Amino acid sequence: MKKLFRNILFIFIGLFLLGGVGATVLIVKAYRELPDLGQLIEGYNPVVPSKIYDTNGEVIDILYKEIRETATIEEMPKSLKDAYVAIEDRRFHSHHGFDVLGMGRAMVVNIVTMSKAQGASSITQQLAKNAFLTNEKKIMRKVKEAIITVELERGYTKDEILEKYMNEIYFGSGAYGVKTAARAFYGKSVKDINTAESALLAGVPNRPNKYNPRKHLNNAVTRGKLVLSQMRRYNLIDEEEYQKALSQKFYNEDKLPEELKGLSMEELSELNVTVIKNKSKKRSYNTPDFTDIVEKKLFEIFTEKQIYEEGLEIYTTLDIGMQKAAKATFENYEPLKENKGLNGGMVTIEADTGYVRAVIGGKDFKSGDYNRAIYAKRQPGSSFKPFIYFTALRQGYPMNTVIEDTPLEFGEWKPRNYGGDFRKNFTLLEGMERSINIVAIKVLQKIGLKNLGETVKLAGGEDIKIPQNLTAALGTMVVTPYELSSLYLPFANGGYRVKPQFITQIKNRYGKVIYQEKAEQERVFEGEDTALITHMMEDVVNLGTGKNARVTKDGKNIVQGGKTGTTNRQRTAWYAGITPKYVTTVYIGYDNNKPMDKSATGGGLTAKLWGNYYQILVDDGYDTGKEFNHIADGLKNGKLTEVLIDSKNGRLADSTSGWNKRWALFKKGTEPVEMASVYNSDFNDFFVKSDEIMMKNVEKTMESQKNMEQNKRNINSDSMFKDLFGN
């Protein structure tokens, strides 16, 4: 018997020693794995917000759910400190980091109930775990927690520990710390909250979702009353204070009784009423138009916690200087300032890279507002016409092709030009320059909707639903400014489809790259074809409807092109402009799509806004590009040639052309060879005052049937059109 007892004793001693050795090993290992505890505790930043940088590395915005405001222990009312001690760790002021009695009691309760019904972590232990460690359930984490707890108790006073703890605890809805929670839930400073409000706050961190007063007010109030009973039980408040706190009424802001609405916070306080504020949907960002987009894209890659708490460094394509210029132009544009209901959107994209450099979502844009630059679907009107003409150019039809500007009728639809006039003959070049509707419709008749759709798709418009009728020539589909800018990129960069980018790369808080966005660029159009439409767009600015978008540098016009657009009854006015470096599209209109004033056209209203914006950029030193490389390269290598034509008949301009002279661009070998006088001579003679000369010329023309037929072919622009396009 004695031998048996001795053996058992040896086993227990052995196990005790073995356990001691094992514990010692764990403690030593934990110490080695932990960084310098002094630096760890002093340098701890519980939640690191993510930063957004512009293309030049300047911080433009900080992402957060709620700003963490820290409170000093002096700011915290006694009732709030007592509430936390009562419910979380009533022996906090007497133990040295570990509540042994509490741990024993919790162990007994958990054994009896066969569950983890009661916790026993002290406030110091909770601070050690929440602030410095993860929530992984491993023995090593528990050992580290104990070590940090001891160090906290050794290095800090109870008030300092309590202060750190109360600035660390999470209340749900993105609120960390009691000061933030008081502001978020009650709309008041933490120093001004009463006993009942203190008790409710103290009850939330146990289960932030279950006791969140915004979501579950009844749960929060019930939990708060439990806190109050604990405070009364341990004589932290007297009976009068207890009863007064119990009588406090709590209401969610959106469920406030009618008789209480409109009362001030002071008046509500006198009635023992506390209003739980709704979560603010608006956040104040420096560049909300752009930051909202980036934030949405981040959610496609990271979790909410990573975005708002783990200190991501997001490097973007925004140029803050260009954004400020765009914002200043938009907000100070007189037509928009004078008419409160008028609004719009604008996007600038770098042509070669697809980097989005500036975004304007609307007037006075704030985070959470409707971003018109990205989401506003509007008919583009004539700003879509470049795709009609470009499709014709791609099929080999030169810009000196002549179209007859005569009335058309398709059942009940009788399309008209702006102003209602018809002006006989136009080349494709002048047709786009002056935005002649009939010319665009006749071109679409010949090239076909299928070929138009292919052009738009190649440019990146797979999601653009083009109407399957001739109204498409007048831009009756719907696009956003962002989409139209994207489609215009090949016109500026020489035929490359480029995927627009908002983010270039993302680093974690330690500077390691954890996400890199790849540039997507693909040649979809020949450089020479693209050069032709770019030249036509330059002509729109130099001589046509886009004159108001002109920008000067050192007294000379910069290199630029564009296209105006005005939809039916002036519901939307557009201007889409290109330079060798950037594409910017802007529209103006009412959100309810009601008609604007008759003078509100793309050329008269929106082109001016575009011009004002780019003038600021140029004056601020931004390089918009010296030449369109695809035009310059084509001229240098001989694949393109530029000649002066007569815009009415498409032939080489001469003394008979007058004001109709235009520089036109051709693929080598497709340029005209006949002089305009061949076409113009008979018509010029009609202006000679002598009736005798006029009659002789008429008779001369009638002498030969062959000459007459040739004359008809020259004059009849539709016949010429058929010769070029086929039947």
Side-chain angles (χ1 to χ4, degrees):
M1 190 69 174
K2 288 182 180 180
K3 185 177 181 180
L4 177 62
F5 178 76
R6 185 176 58 196
N7 289 339
I8 292 174
L9 181 61
F10 285 154
I11 290 172
F12 271 109
I13 292 173
L15 289 173
F16 179 78
L17 292 173
L18 185 62
V21 171
T24 301
V25 170
L26 282 175
I27 291 171
V28 171
K29 188 173 186 296
Y31 258 111
R32 287 177 176 174
E33 290 181 1
L34 284 170
D36 181 87
L37 291 176
Q39 292 182 3
L40 178 69
I41 295 170
E42 286 297 330
Y44 172 68
N45 191 356
V47 172
V48 180
S50 294
K51 294 179 180 179
I52 299 178
Y53 297 85
D54 86 331
T55 189
N56 299 309
E58 182 177 342
V59 177
I60 55 174
D61 264 319
I62 296 176
L63 294 178
Y64 54 84
K65 290 182 70 174
E66 292 278 356
I67 296 176
R68 179 193 293 265
E69 296 182 274
T70 57
T72 64
I73 197 71
E74 290 78 20
E75 286 181 89
M76 302 174 193
K78 182 176 182 300
S79 62
L80 183 62
K81 292 179 282 188
D82 288 344
Y84 274 98
V85 170
I87 196 66
E88 294 292 340
D89 185 4
R90 67 184 181 90
R91 280 180 282 272
F92 170 70
H93 291 288
S94 59
H95 65 61
H96 298 288
F98 304 95
D99 184 1
V100 179
L101 292 176
M103 293 169 68
R105 182 190 67 251
M107 186 180 297
V108 172
V109 171
N110 293 339
I111 291 173
V112 171
T113 60
M114 298 296 289
S115 67
K116 195 173 181 180
Q118 197 170 101
S121 293
S122 67
I123 284 176
T124 313
Q125 285 176 281
Q126 290 181 53
L127 176 61
K129 178 181 71 175
N130 296 336
F132 307 107
L133 300 169
T134 65
N135 287 320
E136 58 179 348
K137 296 182 178 180
K138 294 182 178 179
I139 295 176
M140 183 57 70
R141 200 269 296 164
K142 280 288 187 184
V143 175
K144 291 177 181 178
E145 177 188 307
I147 293 171
I148 295 173
T149 297
V150 171
E151 292 297 327
L152 285 169
E153 288 283 342
R154 285 177 55 188
Y156 297 93
T157 66
K158 289 293 185 179
D159 276 354
E160 288 173 332
I161 292 172
L162 188 60
E163 179 183 298
K164 287 181 179 293
Y165 168 75
M166 295 178 74
N167 281 317
E168 161 61 27
I169 45 184
Y170 181 59
F171 291 85
S173 295
Y176 284 87
V178 292
K179 189 171 185 176
T180 305
R183 184 73 64 188
F185 294 140
Y186 304 142
K188 60 174 69 174
S189 172
V190 67
K191 64 184 177 59
D192 296 326
I193 63 175
N194 60 36
T195 302
E197 293 164 344
S198 296
L200 188 143
L201 283 187
V204 172
N206 179 264
R207 293 182 184 177
N209 187 52
K210 180 178 180 179
Y211 298 126
N212 186 320
R214 285 179 179 148
K215 299 177 181 178
H216 308 290
L217 182 56
N218 289 337
N219 291 350
V221 171
T222 300
R223 174 75 176 171
K225 289 180 177 179
L226 174 62
V227 175
L228 288 171
S229 67
Q230 289 291 91
M231 294 173 73
R232 180 70 189 99
R233 178 181 179 183
Y234 302 123
N235 293 315
L236 297 172
I237 53 175
D238 58 29
E239 185 64 23
E240 183 180 350
E241 290 173 310
Y242 176 59
Q243 293 300 327
K244 182 179 180 181
L246 287 177
S247 68
Q248 188 81 15
K249 296 180 179 64
F250 291 87
Y251 296 98
N252 288 113
E253 187 175 10
D254 53 359
K255 295 181 180 180
L256 194 64
E258 286 296 326
E259 63 272 16
L260 298 178
K261 290 180 180 179
L263 296 182
S264 67
M265 193 172 291
E266 291 74 18
E267 291 171 325
L268 291 170
S269 181
E270 291 178 4
L271 297 173
N272 283 355
V273 171
T274 298
V275 178
I276 304 297
K277 300 292 182 181
N278 294 330
K279 186 175 182 179
S280 174
K281 296 180 181 179
K282 306 277 186 180
R283 278 171 289 185
S284 179
Y285 287 145
N286 296 320
T287 58
D289 319 60
F290 187 84
T291 297
D292 276 5
I293 300 167
V294 170
E295 190 174 19
K296 182 178 180 181
K297 288 185 174 295
L298 289 174
F299 272 99
E300 298 172 5
I301 309 169
F302 301 102
T303 65
E304 181 177 326
K305 187 175 187 298
Q306 287 174 307
I307 294 168
Y308 296 123
E309 300 177 17
E310 295 190 2
L312 300 178
E313 295 184 344
I314 304 111
Y315 293 86
T316 72
T317 61
L318 186 81
D319 187 305
I320 190 62
M322 295 181 72
Q323 179 70 16
K324 288 179 178 178
K327 178 69 74 174
T329 305
F330 206 86
E331 298 293 349
N332 294 312
Y333 193 47
E334 283 302 320
L336 289 171
K337 288 176 67 177
E338 293 172 357
N339 191 328
K340 292 184 178 180
L342 209 56
N343 221 313
M346 184 162 69
V347 179
T348 297
I349 305 177
E350 192 167 272
D352 290 336
T353 62
Y355 289 172
V356 179
R357 295 306 194 191
V359 178
I360 301 298
K363 291 192 302 187
D364 302 317
F365 189 91
K366 295 178 178 59
S367 181
D369 285 353
Y370 178 64
N371 195 319
R372 295 164 184 81
I374 306 299
Y375 303 116
K377 294 277 189 179
R378 315 280 294 209
Q379 290 186 353
S382 294
S383 62
F384 184 76
K385 285 178 182 175
F387 297 98
I388 308 292
Y389 291 106
F390 185 42
T391 304
L393 293 168
R394 289 181 66 219
Q395 292 182 6
Y397 307 122
M399 64 182 69
N400 68 328
T401 303
V402 178
I403 309 296
E404 187 177 12
D405 180 25
T406 53
L408 290 172
E409 186 173 334
F410 304 94
E412 296 183 359
W413 185 46
K414 300 176 182 178
R416 301 177 59 172
N417 295 319
Y418 180 75
D421 297 328
F422 297 94
R423 306 172 185 85
K424 296 186 179 179
N425 300 340
F426 283 103
T427 56
L428 299 187
L429 177 63
E430 192 179 9
M432 193 170 94
E433 169 196 309
R434 298 176 64 176
S435 199
I436 307 300
N437 290 338
I438 298 301
V439 175
I441 294 169
K442 286 188 175 183
V443 173
L444 182 56
Q445 275 185 301
K446 299 301 180 179
I447 63 173
L449 286 160
K450 182 179 179 181
N451 291 323
L452 171 63
E454 179 187 353
T455 298
V456 174
K457 183 177 180 180
L458 285 172
E462 291 93 343
D463 297 329
I464 307 298
K465 296 180 180 178
I466 300 174
Q468 294 303 294
N469 55 60
L470 292 175
T471 66
L474 308 184
T476 54
M477 67 294 297
V478 292
V479 295
T480 67
Y482 171 69
E483 288 173 331
L484 193 57
S485 287
S486 303
L487 292 177
Y488 266 56
L489 291 175
F491 299 156
N493 65 30
Y496 290 90
R497 169 177 172 164
V498 185
K499 179 184 176 182
Q501 282 184 241
F502 293 87
I503 298 170
T504 55
Q505 67 175 12
I506 300 171
K507 298 179 181 179
N508 63 19
R509 70 170 74 183
Y510 307 109
K512 180 182 178 181
V513 176
I514 57 175
Y515 175 81
Q516 187 89 40
E517 187 152 326
K518 296 179 180 178
E520 294 183 22
Q521 186 187 71
E522 176 188 4
R523 176 172 282 287
V524 290
F525 304 120
E526 293 299 323
E528 290 77 32
D529 288 336
T530 312
L532 301 179
I533 190 64
T534 303
H535 176 89
M536 291 175 68
M537 294 174 73
E538 287 184 289
D539 202 54
V540 171
V541 178
N542 294 330
L543 299 167
T545 59
K547 290 179 182 179
N548 282 319
R550 288 178 185 168
V551 177
T552 61
K553 181 179 182 180
D554 299 328
K556 297 179 181 180
N557 293 339
I558 68 168
V559 176
Q560 64 181 111
K563 186 66 190 78
T564 57
T566 308
T567 62
N568 190 35
R569 297 181 64 193
Q570 285 74 36
R571 296 180 188 276
T572 310
W574 290 83
Y575 185 76
I578 63 173
T579 68
K581 197 164 184 180
Y582 302 112
V583 173
T584 296
T585 298
V586 57
Y587 88 86
I588 293 176
Y590 291 103
D591 286 343
N592 61 7
N593 212 29
K594 74 176 183 179
M596 296 183 286
D597 186 84
K598 290 184 178 180
S599 63
T601 64
L605 177 66
T606 319
K608 288 181 181 178
L609 173 60
W610 192 100
N612 292 349
Y613 167 42
Y614 268 71
Q615 192 64 62
I616 293 176
L617 293 181
V618 170
D619 292 345
D620 285 348
Y622 280 91
D623 178 17
T624 59
K626 294 180 175 59
E627 61 183 6
F628 288 108
N629 290 331
H630 47 299
I631 294 179
D633 291 345
L635 290 171
K636 288 176 184 176
N637 62 32
K639 292 183 178 181
L640 297 174
T641 183
E642 192 173 31
V643 299
L644 197 62
I645 68 166
D646 187 308
S647 65
K648 295 303 179 186
N649 57 52
R651 290 175 168 81
L652 293 173
D654 56 24
S655 59
T656 67
S657 299
W659 293 102
N660 297 322
K661 295 177 182 179
R662 298 285 189 278
W663 283 105
L665 194 65
F666 297 90
K667 290 183 179 180
K668 192 68 174 178
T670 65
E671 65 272 21
V673 294
E674 290 183 307
M675 301 303 295
S677 57
V678 175
Y679 177 88
N680 290 335
S681 59
D682 293 331
F683 283 84
N684 290 337
D685 287 343
F686 279 104
F687 292 96
V688 178
K689 294 183 179 179
S690 172
D691 291 340
E692 183 180 351
I693 295 176
M694 181 183 73
M695 290 306 297
K696 285 182 179 180
N697 280 324
V698 172
E699 290 172 2
K700 182 179 178 181
T701 305
M702 296 292 291
E703 285 178 1
S704 170
Q705 181 65 30
K706 182 179 178 180
N707 289 340
M708 185 176 69
E709 291 300 320
Q710 181 63 44
N711 197 36
K712 284 182 179 179
R713 281 196 294 271
N714 290 343
I715 296 174
N716 189 336
S717 60
D718 200 43
S719 295
M720 185 181 296
F721 187 81
K722 290 177 181 177
D723 290 342
L724 290 166
F725 284 84
N727 294 319

